[in-house]
Amino acid sequence: MAKITLEGIRHSYPSDGREQIWALEEISQVWEDGGAYALLGPSGCGKTTLLNIISGLLKPTRGNILFNTDDVTETTTSARQIAQVFQFPVVYDTMTVFDNLAFPLKNRGLPKTEIIPRVHEIAAMLDLTESLDRRASGLTADGKQKISLGRGLVRSDVNAILFDEPLTVIDPHLKWQLRSKLKQLHQQVGTTMIYVTHDQTEALTFADKVVVMFEGKVVQVGTPQELFEMPRHTFVGHFIGSPGMNVLPCNTDENGVRCLGVSLGLIEKQPGKGNQLEVGVRPEFVFFDELGIPVRVNKVDDLGRYQVVEVEADGQILKMVVPESESIPSENPCISFDLDFTKLYRDGWMVDSEETA
Amino acid sequence: MNKLSNQRAWLFVVPVVLLVAFNALIPLMTVVNYSVQETFGNNQFFWHGVGWFEQVLKSERFHASLLRQLAFTTMILLIEVPLGIAVALCMPRKGPWVSVCLVLMALPLLIPWNVVGAMWNIFALPDIGLLGKMINGLGIDYNFTQQPVAAWVTTVLMDVWHWTSLVVLLTYAGLCSIPDAYYQAARIDGASGWAVFRFIQLPKLNRVLTIAILLRFMDSFMIYTEPFVLTGGGPGNTTTFLSIDLVKIALGQFDLGPAAAMSLIYFMVVLLVCWIFYTAMMRNEGQS
């Protein structure tokens, strides 16, 4: 068990002669002991790279990794006591399921008397008890992935368990089951878990804290609620939530921010420099109003639980989420924003704003 | 509804039938033909039944060459397969040295059989050859033209030199196709180098090694040119392998009947061993 600290981690993969491209740029991050974290981001944003750096499969180009207060940057993977589960199932083909699960323990020289009950415990947790004596290569893809998960969970002395999109190959109905099992397991054993995924539902259901990455940077760390209500970057707004946040170009005058041709009643606290000022508002915080910004309704998607309405104002397209019970105004529809959840972004990053009187 | 019968389709098979007939079936049938007949010259043949087969199967000479052949094949397999795997494991997986290593490995495979025989013949000559002279210089009495043991050592060495590369290249290809995740998982699981080899690399090499062993078995079991050029089957008969013996009977003594019978037995042995080996490997695969 350990608190994992990343200090100024940067990484670039060796490229022959071309300019150095940073797969990770400058990440400093503390993973508290016992936390359930999700590392969320689109493909190619450096999630796996970061994970491999933590587990020691990769050595970072710059920066240090600390477990509690020990610098482990130069320490080997097995000495770091990290468990890691990969995207595609890795099983040792010629071994039985039992031997697969026992493998990490055997390699560490544990006595048989400890291995056997431990393996049975994990097998029971993952519903593998019946296939313990079978050869691992005969199992289906999700059976194999369960073995991979089991090998990650079987060691009781690990500092952290890292999951690299472990449920990609699993059937949807099993996905739910396994994900809640993981969460339950986390509550039981209390080991730090870091879960890499590009699926927001997966991240939000599993984790206490979600770390959102974008183009090699950590753009926001927060609880699912924080990410939803206060996206610190327009990327977080887009990426989390379905549909994503509306981001609208705007400008300022003496009355504050003007957007879609009207004054929003919002000003930037400290007028900053930078080029582009934008307004971000989630579809959930846009509503039809008697007075407000006149719009034209383009499209209504009825999703059953709610309706997603696409409206157009001043040449901009917005999406809004309307409760199923509410009808869409047919004549001269107008919309308003919930100003508590309307944020200003300069060059993509959120800036402090306040409402005008 | 009745199936439309279209006999014209057979026409398209004709070229293949002709090709196979001329390059395999007809030559094989001539051999079968000789194997059941006896001749006293004048191009007159008489039915002899399975007499030649009985004679060959009972002959001491055939037993001796078969034994020599089996010993030789076993020996080179025992050396070439482990050695080939070892070399492949040592070869770099990335970087500029990959192509250098691959070319160096492929070189022996590109040399014609008789050239290999001639090369080693000269190389191992005790009076002028580099190898032979060196071994004698070390105080070991070595003369492959006169000592059976030296002849065997040289023949085996020559085959190892010529063909280990094949095992290396096949194994190397197999190793390259193992996904990185396996090695990463092994590092996470704290597996030793031996465990990585035993539980990851070896199982994943299963198929290529089956192919490598089959190819090496067949080739070495039919080896002719190299030992013929190197030792000529001698000293005495000590390196007379099956094919060398066969040629002696067929072309040296012109005993067509026994030679034909021996060819067929020889052919059946190769076929049988390959079939047994392949079936065993595949059954093993099926279980996994």
Side-chain angles (χ1 to χ4, degrees):
Chain A
M1 305 265 171
K3 179 171 96 172
I4 300 170
T5 312
L6 305 181
E7 290 181 342
I9 295 286
R10 303 186 77 184
H11 189 76
S12 80
Y13 288 100
S15 57
D16 12 279
R18 282 172 287 132
E19 64 171 315
Q20 205 168 24
I21 298 161
W22 295 102
L24 288 181
E25 349 197 351
E26 200 64 38
I27 288 184
S28 296
Q29 173 73 35
V30 177
W31 314 86
E32 293 295 343
D33 187 13
Y37 292 93
L39 205 53
L40 181 66
S43 302
C45 72
K47 296 169 304 205
T48 301
T49 306
L50 187 62
L51 212 62
N52 288 347
I53 284 174
I54 295 174
S55 63
L57 292 173
L58 272 179
K59 194 179 164 298
T61 317
R62 309 264 164 79
N64 296 309
I65 305 152
L66 276 68
F67 283 12
N68 292 327
T69 51
D70 306 330
D71 190 324
V72 295
T73 318
E74 302 291 333
T75 311
T76 61
T77 303
S78 55
R80 286 189 197 187
Q81 294 289 24
I82 290 271
Q84 188 169 355
V85 180
F86 299 92
Q87 183 170 6
F88 294 102
V90 175
V91 297
Y92 303 108
D93 293 337
T94 49
M95 293 188 205
T96 61
V97 175
F98 180 93
D99 287 333
N100 258 282
L101 294 176
F103 193 58
L105 302 177
K106 276 187 191 153
N107 286 329
R108 286 176 172 75
L110 257 74
K112 264 215 162 80
T113 47
E114 279 179 52
I115 294 178
I116 293 170
R118 184 71 188 155
V119 169
H120 278 102
E121 189 187 333
I122 294 297
M125 232 178 250
L126 295 168
D127 302 324
L128 283 172
T129 312
E130 276 164 34
S131 34
L132 273 181
D133 296 326
R134 286 178 56 191
R135 248 171 110 156
S137 54
L139 271 68
T140 56
D142 43 65
K144 284 182 183 173
Q145 189 64 335
K146 278 194 199 168
I147 296 176
S148 297
L149 282 170
R151 280 209 321 275
L153 299 168
V154 77
R155 284 152 61 194
S156 51
D157 58 344
V158 289
N159 284 317
I161 307 178
L162 315 180
F163 300 96
D164 190 356
E165 309 199 20
L167 303 182
T168 313
V169 294
I170 309 261
D171 278 349
H173 71 281
L174 270 176
K175 240 182 211 184
W176 262 107
Q177 223 177 315
L178 278 177
R179 206 188 302 140
S180 30
K181 205 152 242 171
L182 282 180
K183 179 123 196 172
Q184 190 189 329
L185 223 67
H186 176 256
Q187 281 152 0
Q188 274 173 30
V189 295
T191 314
T192 315
M193 290 189 182
I194 303 176
Y195 190 106
V196 163
T197 177
H198 60 251
D199 179 338
Q200 47 164 316
T201 334
E202 225 167 273
L204 299 177
T205 47
F206 173 78
D208 309 330
K209 276 223 165 143
V210 180
V211 177
V212 185
M213 284 184 73
F214 178 54
E215 289 181 347
K217 285 188 284 267
V218 170
V219 284
Q220 188 168 5
V221 183
T223 61
Q225 193 187 357
E226 283 168 351
L227 295 180
F228 186 75
E229 291 177 356
M230 302 259 286
R232 285 202 41 232
H233 191 276
T234 46
F235 169 76
V236 180
H238 279 305
F239 198 68
I240 291 177
S242 172
M245 187 168 70
N246 296 303
V247 179
L248 308 162
C250 63
N251 48 38
T252 48
D253 63 8
E254 61 277 13
N255 294 323
V257 175
R258 281 181 71 83
C259 180
L260 305 174
V262 296
S263 196
L264 285 183
L266 207 64
I267 55 165
E268 194 177 357
K269 252 186 188 170
Q270 291 156 328
K273 288 183 192 123
N275 306 321
Q276 212 185 351
L277 191 68
E278 286 161 317
V279 165
V281 59
R282 288 200 174 276
E284 287 81 355
F285 304 124
V286 184
F287 50 92
F288 285 112
D289 212 351
E290 294 189 354
L291 293 167
I293 309 162
V295 292
R296 200 180 75 215
V297 176
N298 278 351
K299 199 166 82 178
V300 180
D301 288 331
D302 194 337
L303 299 186
R305 285 178 299 138
Y306 52 85
Q307 314 170 70
V308 174
V309 182
E310 191 184 285
V311 297
E312 193 178 330
D314 200 28
Q316 297 294 323
I317 305 264
L318 280 89
K319 291 218 160 116
M320 48 196 293
V321 170
V322 178
E324 194 71 5
S325 55
E326 207 176 300
S327 57
I328 314 288
S330 50
E331 275 175 40
N332 302 328
C334 286
I335 57 166
S336 286
F337 298 164
D338 184 340
L339 285 187
D340 287 342
F341 300 106
T342 305
K343 304 292 170 196
L344 285 180
Y345 295 87
R346 205 174 261 292
D347 293 334
W349 294 92
M350 192 174 82
V351 289
D352 284 337
S353 57
E354 58 187 358
E355 289 174 46
T356 50
Chain B
M1 197 183 96
N2 283 330
K3 252 188 188 170
L4 191 74
S5 101
N6 184 352
Q7 300 298 340
R8 271 179 303 176
W10 290 106
L11 278 177
F12 293 99
V13 189
V14 167
V16 178
V17 171
L18 283 177
L19 199 73
V20 172
F22 274 102
N23 87 54
L25 229 53
I26 294 174
L28 191 67
M29 283 307 125
T30 14
V31 176
V32 172
N33 189 30
Y34 283 135
S35 74
V36 291
Q37 299 192 71
E38 162 74 301
T39 179
F40 302 106
N42 272 342
N43 223 7
Q44 283 179 302
F45 287 88
F46 310 93
W47 175 252
H48 193 54
V50 292
W52 296 131
F53 289 92
E54 273 174 29
Q55 186 190 322
V56 169
L57 284 172
K58 280 181 188 156
S59 98
E60 302 256 322
R61 179 175 167 178
F62 177 73
H63 293 168
S65 357
L66 182 63
L67 213 64
R68 275 193 291 270
Q69 186 65 70
L70 286 170
F72 176 75
T73 297
T74 314
M75 241 186 255
I76 65 107
L77 281 179
L78 284 178
I79 298 174
E80 288 176 14
V81 174
L83 183 65
I85 296 172
V87 173
L89 285 171
C90 295
M91 273 169 60
R93 226 59 62 77
K94 271 181 218 138
W97 287 102
V98 171
S99 31
V100 176
C101 285
L102 286 178
V103 168
L104 280 178
M105 278 297 137
L107 270 183
L109 299 176
L110 301 175
I111 301 176
W113 287 258
N114 55 352
V115 177
V116 172
M119 260 170 59
W120 277 80
N121 188 319
I122 296 166
F123 185 50
L125 278 178
D127 43 357
I128 55 160
L130 194 59
L131 179 75
K133 188 117 187 153
M134 225 164 63
I135 295 175
N136 279 300
L138 290 171
I140 302 164
D141 182 28
Y142 166 87
N143 186 342
F144 77 93
T145 57
Q146 284 165 18
Q147 302 154 336
V149 176
W152 267 79
V153 169
T154 317
T155 316
V156 168
L157 210 63
M158 173 181 68
D159 197 79
V160 168
W161 176 84
H162 196 181
W163 289 110
T164 305
S165 297
L166 183 75
V167 183
V168 172
L169 293 179
L170 283 168
T171 311
Y172 183 77
L175 283 173
C176 287
S177 69
I178 301 176
D180 268 349
Y182 281 86
Y183 295 111
Q184 293 179 336
R187 279 165 73 186
I188 297 282
D189 291 339
S192 62
W194 166 250
V196 170
F197 176 69
R198 170 71 186 76
F199 297 115
I200 296 175
Q201 291 171 325
L202 209 51
K204 296 272 168 210
L205 290 177
N206 188 354
R207 274 158 189 272
V208 281
L209 284 181
T210 308
I211 301 286
I213 293 173
L214 265 182
L215 283 176
R216 279 319 297 134
F217 167 77
M218 287 192 286
D219 273 355
S220 69
F221 210 77
M222 298 185 276
I223 191 166
Y224 176 75
T225 319
E226 294 151 286
F228 181 76
V229 177
L230 183 70
T231 63
N237 272 334
T238 47
T239 56
T240 301
F241 302 121
L242 273 179
S243 56
I244 297 183
D245 202 20
L246 180 62
V247 171
K248 276 184 186 169
I249 295 173
L251 301 180
Q253 302 161 219
F254 223 74
D255 283 336
L256 287 184
M262 186 175 164
S263 302
L264 289 174
I265 296 167
Y266 192 176
F267 173 55
M268 288 302 158
V269 170
V270 174
L271 208 62
L272 185 73
V273 173
C274 286
W275 181 76
I276 291 174
F277 182 73
Y278 187 78
T279 315
M281 291 307 272
M282 285 304 120
R283 178 168 301 169
N284 194 30
E285 184 102 331
Q287 273 172 3
S288 58

